[in-house]
């Protein structure tokens, strides 16, 4: 179990009561924007396992898959914190860089590899999806 997460300035804290359902590294173009050119690694948790303290600003859009996507970040320091399929989705992913201990989780798959730049470093030992894999059940 991962104990917690938060932003760089400490204005947002996240208590995590359970284990991640999945940990994905995503190379979709949206994640490349959010990751400053790299893919992003995100640990998906059941929403009921998360307690969020502090204000989070949300950017809503449509993912490359066509699904609605909400991305949450600290409005003070700008740390990317969350990605998810909207406020009613059963899962919410935390950006692994926001975890207090990013070594507590490891990617279990790599997605949107067809969108990755030629120089991307992709772990060939992990399952890969060219685009959007099936939803978490």
């Amino acid at each position: 179990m991962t104990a917690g997460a938060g932003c760089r300035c400490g204005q947002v804290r996240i208590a995590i009561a359970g284990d991640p359902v999945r940990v994905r590294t995503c190379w979709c173009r949206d994640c490349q924007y959010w990751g400053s050119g790299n893919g992003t690694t995100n640990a998906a948790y059941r929403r009921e396992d998360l307690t969020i303290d502090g204000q989070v600003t949300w950017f809503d859009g449509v993912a490359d898959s066509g699904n609605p996507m909400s991305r949450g970040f600290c409005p003070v320091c700008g740390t990317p914190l969350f990605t998810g399929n909207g406020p009613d989705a059963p899962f919410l992913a935390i950006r692994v860089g926001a975890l207090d201990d990013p070594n507590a989780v490891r990617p279990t798959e790599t997605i949107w590899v067809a969108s990755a730049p030629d120089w991307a470093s992709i772990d060939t030992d992990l399952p890969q999806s060219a685009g959007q894999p099936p939803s978490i059940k």
Side-chain angles (χ1 to χ4, degrees), residues 12-46:
V12 179
R13 290 296 306 153
I14 306 149
I16 304 168
D19 292 323
V21 178
R22 266 190 193 149
V23 182
R24 293 175 166 168
T25 298
C26 181
W27 282 97
C28 75
R29 281 298 293 143
D30 279 350
C31 281
Q32 290 177 52
Y33 281 108
W34 297 110
S36 299
N38 285 296
T40 63
T41 303
N42 309 288
Y45 294 90
R46 296 184 195 296

Side-chain angles (χ1 to χ4, degrees), residues 40-128:
T40 63
T41 303
N42 309 288
Y45 294 90
R46 296 184 195 296
R47 278 189 187 265
E48 65 263 19
D49 289 344
L50 304 177
T51 303
I52 303 166
D53 291 316
Q55 181 183 355
V56 175
T57 298
W58 294 90
F59 177 81
D60 296 324
V62 177
D64 287 346
S65 64
N67 295 322
M69 187 62 67
S70 296
R71 306 252 180 8
F73 57 93
C74 174
V76 177
C77 66
T79 300
L81 298 167
F82 301 107
T83 187
N85 293 110
D88 298 325
F91 302 99
L92 184 61
I94 298 174
R95 303 284 190 197
V96 169
L99 295 174
D100 294 341
D101 180 8
N103 286 310
V105 300
R106 297 190 71 76
T108 55
E109 60 188 302
T110 306
I111 64 174
W112 287 95
V113 296
S115 299
D118 293 341
W119 51 260
S121 179
I122 297 173
D123 187 341
T124 57
D125 290 336
L126 295 178
Q128 297 178 20

